[in-house]
Amino acid sequence: SQIKHDVGTHLSQREYGNMGITYKSHHIMRPTWAVSGGLTVTVPTASDVRVGLADGTPLAQIENESVHLAPYFGVLWTPNDRLFAQGFMEWDVETNGCPVYFNSGIGLSYVDDVHDATFQYIDLGLGYWLHRSNSRYRRLSGVAATAELHWNRSLEATDSVAVGGFRVGDIHRTIEV
């Protein structure tokens, strides 16, 4: 039998992902540094995932119902007009799971919810302005050399749901990049 996946398999199809809404605020502003923070709420606006045979028989379905909350804060330091450093921390927390359905021979049946792991993101950057122009008629207003470090990791084990030979989710226990 041939397996068919109905999302993103054709070049002519377009898939819009989940929508994120972000609130940002400056909490502290001083002459050489600033602290800001906020919250991103991601809502499930993308399509569900369906996997089936080429003849239309459904094998599995994952309903996109996951809502994510991602609080963050950032810091900017500018000791002079050329040197700058910036960094931020963010945590992405899922508030609910996505229902998973498998076909056990009599159609799709609910099995369990699959949950995304909570993630932590830490980013640090250091930069130096090599060229800056305040002229509004210049095509190039500035060039900066920057170095950045990014560390992303799951704060809990990843989740998966399995029935028979099918598995939905991640088989790795933790993720770190």
Side-chain angles (χ1 to χ4, degrees):
S1 297
Q2 186 177 14
I3 294 180
K4 181 177 110 178
H5 179 276
D6 77 344
V7 177
T9 57
H10 302 286
L11 294 177
S12 63
Q13 288 183 331
R14 287 184 175 77
E15 170 71 22
Y16 294 97
N18 294 333
M19 181 173 67
I21 303 162
T22 303
Y23 167 77
K24 299 179 192 180
S25 176
H26 286 111
H27 298 293
I28 301 171
M29 291 191 67
R30 300 289 185 259
T32 60
W33 60 278
V35 175
S36 65
L39 175 70
T40 298
V41 178
T42 304
V43 295
T45 54
S47 300
D48 296 341
V49 175
R50 294 175 188 86
V51 178
L53 298 175
D55 68 3
T57 303
L59 296 176
Q61 178 174 320
I62 302 97
E63 292 184 356
N64 182 25
E65 294 185 4
S66 180
V67 174
H68 287 249
L69 300 178
Y72 67 92
F73 76 94
V75 176
L76 173 65
W77 177 56
T78 56
N80 58 52
D81 64 343
R82 293 219 180 256
L83 182 65
F84 61 92
Q86 57 191 1
F88 78 87
M89 289 183 71
E90 178 182 33
W91 299 268
D92 182 347
V93 181
E94 180 191 57
T95 63
N96 60 316
C98 292
V100 177
Y101 297 83
F102 283 112
N103 189 339
S104 59
I106 57 169
L108 293 174
S109 299
Y110 172 77
V111 177
D112 200 354
D113 288 354
V114 65
H115 296 272
D116 292 328
T118 298
F119 261 81
Q120 174 180 276
Y121 303 92
I122 300 174
D123 297 274
L124 300 171
L126 180 64
Y128 187 81
W129 288 102
L130 303 172
H131 166 73
R132 292 182 87 175
S133 172
N134 293 331
S135 173
R136 64 180 183 179
Y137 301 107
R138 297 251 181 177
R139 287 202 177 289
L140 182 65
S141 60
V143 175
T146 63
E148 296 181 6
L149 296 172
H150 306 276
W151 181 34
N152 309 328
R153 68 184 209 116
S154 59
L155 297 179
E156 59 192 3
T158 57
D159 190 23
S160 66
V161 173
V163 170
F166 292 106
R167 177 179 299 276
V168 171
D170 200 325
I171 61 172
H172 300 95
R173 299 302 299 157
T174 58
I175 300 170
E176 187 168 9
V177 178

